[in-house]
Amino acid sequence: MSALSARPARTWPRSAKSRPRPAWSPRLRRRLAADAALLVVAAAFLLPLAWLVLASIDSDATLRVSAPGAPTMENFSAVWTDEITFTPMLNSLLLCGGATVLTVACAALAAYPLSRFRSRIVRPYLLTVLFTTCLPITAIMVPVYGLFVQVDLVDTMYGTALFLAASQLPFAIWLMKNFMDGVPVILEEAAWTDGASWLQSLTRVILPLMGPGITVVMIYSFIMMWGNFFVPFMLLLSPEQLPASVSIFTFFGNYGQVVYGQLAAFSILYSTPVLLLYVLISRRLGGGFALGGAVKG
């Protein structure tokens, strides 16, 4: 046998990719920890929703999450009345709907000069507007209530809608200004060349192109007003004018007694308009600005 055939074959070191990884690598542990954290967060959201659905069909509902022995619709029948559901829901729609329209209109008019004109006071003004959103509503309700008494706006739907719109206006201006910055100025200049005024260019050029932005501002403002309890509770006194966010307080009886089944049924009905609003206009949230080649040519 020759010396070459007797020499052992050379073995090359195995690359890092071909080496077997340990069963519990650091990457796998980090992934499992992230999945566990997400499951905990999901459970924190799903458990209240599960209680809401199960308690609404349970005549003997408690704070425990448990399946009802005999599912029933008695809770929905008990709250499906004009006094408990229909009148408060109609008041909420009128109050929040009117305040949302007013908020979007004022935010568009205020965001236009902030987006189109360059000035030294724009940034300080925006920071001041942002600071007003940090003020808690409870800190200003006492002077607001005194002002409403002086101008005779207490217990009026339009006065409450005005204050709700004013409370949501600062953040709506910020959102509207950011969306308006995405519309090219050249489109507005073309409208000016054709003889359009700044109001016509705003309503016929800018606002149609920023439909998703207006939708976001509208949904955010409506949801924040829809769930507002403190402002209508302080400014509205007549029971027939109270919105659903305040009438839900009637399910909490004296001495800590709560009708949990009816409360859950009313809560499902109370959240239905917001869900329907999101479903109806969710398609407009998926796309960006519909510029569609308007700057070509």
Side-chain angles (χ1 to χ4, degrees), residues 92 95-97 99-100 103 133 135 137 163-165 167-169 171-172 175 216-232 243 245 270 274 277:
S92 295
L95 184 65
C96 300
T100 300
T103 300
T133 61
L135 296 175
I137 199 69
F163 181 72
L164 286 175
S167 63
Q168 296 299 323
L169 190 57
F171 195 73
L175 288 178
V216 169
V217 175
M218 182 177 63
I219 291 179
Y220 175 81
S221 302
F222 184 83
I223 291 177
M224 295 301 293
M225 297 175 190
W226 186 263
N228 195 311
F229 166 80
F230 191 66
V231 172
S245 59
Y270 176 57
V274 177
L277 175 64

Side-chain angles (χ1 to χ4, degrees), residues 94-96 98-99 102-103 156-166 225:
L94 294 176
L95 184 65
C96 300
L102 184 60
T103 300
T156 59
M157 292 287 288
Y158 64 90
T160 307
L162 287 175
F163 181 72
L164 286 175
M225 297 175 190

Side-chain angles (χ1 to χ4, degrees), residues 95 155-157 160 231-238 241-243:
L95 184 65
D155 200 22
T156 59
M157 292 287 288
T160 307
V231 172
F233 180 74
M234 292 293 295
L235 299 181
L236 294 177
L237 306 178
S238 302
Q241 292 186 347
L242 294 178

Side-chain angles (χ1 to χ4, degrees), residues 188-202 204-205:
E188 192 175 1
E189 293 176 349
W192 292 342
T193 304
D194 294 335
S197 63
W198 69 268
L199 185 59
Q200 290 176 337
S201 63
L202 174 63
R204 298 183 181 181
V205 178

Side-chain angles (χ1 to χ4, degrees), residues 83-85 88-89 229 239 242-251 266:
E83 182 181 0
I84 298 177
T85 300
M89 293 284 281
F229 166 80
L242 294 178
S245 59
V246 180
S247 64
I248 197 174
F249 185 72
T250 58
F251 292 99
F266 182 81

